[in-house]
Amino acid sequence: MTQRSRNLLLLAPAGAWFLVMLVIPLTVVLIFSFGERGAAGGYVPAFTLDQYANLPARWAAFKNTLILAPAGTLASLLIAYPLAYYLAVRADPRWKTVLLVLVIVPFWTSILIRSYAWIFLLGGRGIPALLAAIGIEDVRLINTPFAVLIGIVYGYLPLMVFPIFVNLDRLDKRLLEASSDLGASPWRTFLQVTLPMSLPGIATGCLLVFILLMGEFLIPAILGGGKVFFVGNALVDLFLQSRNWAFGSAVAATLVILMLVTVTAYMRLIRRLGAQREDVALM
């Protein structure tokens, strides 16, 4: 058996899974998006662009997704990076494993249960009641974009922490010592050594969180209370409630295209920053 045959054999299971679970379903969705809704719902074969022309009817869902998904990713990054930095660089090795387990602990409970817990915390008897007790009244948190953002950060924070932690944990500490020996301040060492070296972890964490958030359904449904819709909520409504499979497929296809464009632009930016970092290192 040649090397090429062995490579094909190794790739065959993943390739078959990719074909059956991704390529074929996306192809079906794309075909359905050019069809029409039947009289009793479902799909009727046709070739029309009417479904795409009707996309502005779901503009609110796209707007919420395109605002809160990047905002949630950025908020998760701002919170996760200091935590990952502390765990990788500053934490006592004896406690590092314990602290990492504490980061994982929320995943031991269903996201559904954790989201329902936030309903109480953000509801009238939770944080707003505490604020009212100190004189800050008429504060509404539940069923708002802020509540959805809080749920997003809480739910997806570990997915941002671990890629950054792994990257920082592999950082050669001698580089930090050399920077300090050359007279660089801690802040300058962070900006010129630590942060550039951690870019791969940041890129991975942001991609993990952003891609999942673009299709998020549960958190907006629970903490948004039907007032903050994501595209995922719109798809559930179109496929299961109104049974408009053609329009739902057009919405899904548009979402996939938006994700591909965004992720491609993001990866090009990361590659450019990485190339600039290597150029600076060679100077």
Side-chain angles (χ1 to χ4, degrees):
M1 181 180 292
T2 64
Q3 181 65 35
R4 182 178 180 182
S5 299
R6 285 194 293 268
N7 291 338
L8 291 175
L9 186 61
L10 290 172
L11 293 174
W17 180 269
F18 182 81
L19 176 66
V20 174
M21 303 303 294
L22 182 64
V23 175
I24 294 178
L26 285 178
T27 302
V28 172
V29 167
L30 186 62
I31 293 173
F32 274 30
S33 69
F34 294 103
E36 295 178 344
R37 182 183 186 275
Y43 165 75
V44 174
F47 186 80
T48 176
L49 298 177
D50 290 346
Q51 311 304 330
Y52 289 96
N54 197 33
L55 285 175
R58 295 289 175 168
W59 166 243
F62 278 102
K63 181 185 69 173
N64 290 333
T65 303
L66 294 175
I67 292 176
L68 290 177
T73 303
L74 179 60
S76 298
L77 174 62
L78 294 177
I79 297 174
Y81 195 97
L83 176 59
Y85 178 83
Y86 174 80
L87 292 173
V89 181
R90 301 293 186 183
D92 190 324
R94 295 174 299 177
W95 292 98
K96 184 178 294 186
T97 302
V98 176
L99 294 174
L100 286 173
V101 170
L102 291 177
V103 175
I104 301 173
V105 163
F107 278 144
W108 295 357
T109 306
S110 168
I111 183 65
L112 180 64
I113 296 175
R114 287 183 281 143
S115 297
Y116 271 111
W118 276 106
I119 291 180
F120 174 79
L121 292 174
L122 299 177
R125 293 183 294 176
I127 296 176
L130 295 177
L131 294 176
I134 60 175
I136 305 176
E137 299 181 353
D138 298 327
V139 176
R140 181 178 179 83
L141 298 178
I142 197 65
N143 300 338
T144 64
F146 178 76
V148 175
L149 185 62
I150 290 292
I152 284 171
V153 174
Y154 175 73
Y156 287 90
L157 186 63
L159 294 180
M160 184 70 77
V161 170
F162 280 103
I164 300 175
F165 165 78
V166 170
N167 195 251
L168 288 173
D169 195 48
R170 296 176 180 175
L171 179 65
D172 190 348
K173 305 303 188 294
R174 292 175 297 179
L175 295 175
L176 305 180
E177 296 173 358
S179 177
S180 177
D181 292 340
L182 291 173
S185 65
W187 180 245
R188 190 171 182 181
T189 298
F190 173 77
L191 291 178
Q192 295 185 345
V193 179
T194 307
L195 184 59
M197 296 295 290
S198 63
L199 279 179
I202 294 174
T204 302
C206 288
L207 277 179
L208 280 174
V209 174
F210 177 77
I211 291 175
L212 292 175
L213 283 180
M214 288 293 284
E216 178 60 46
F217 159 75
L218 185 63
I219 295 175
I222 294 177
L223 298 180
K227 298 180 180 179
V228 183
F229 270 82
F230 272 30
V231 174
N233 304 102
L235 291 175
V236 170
D237 175 66
L238 289 170
F239 278 98
L240 301 182
Q241 302 298 326
S242 60
R243 288 180 46 81
N244 193 342
W245 294 2
F247 187 36
S249 297
V251 172
T254 303
L255 177 63
V256 172
I257 293 172
L258 286 174
M259 291 175 62
L260 288 175
V261 171
T262 304
V263 171
T264 301
Y266 175 76
M267 293 305 299
R268 286 185 177 180
L269 176 62
I270 292 298
R271 290 196 194 98
R272 185 175 301 175
L273 291 175
Q276 292 177 354
R277 183 187 66 182
E278 293 177 359
D279 292 341
V280 171
L282 293 175
M283 291 178 61

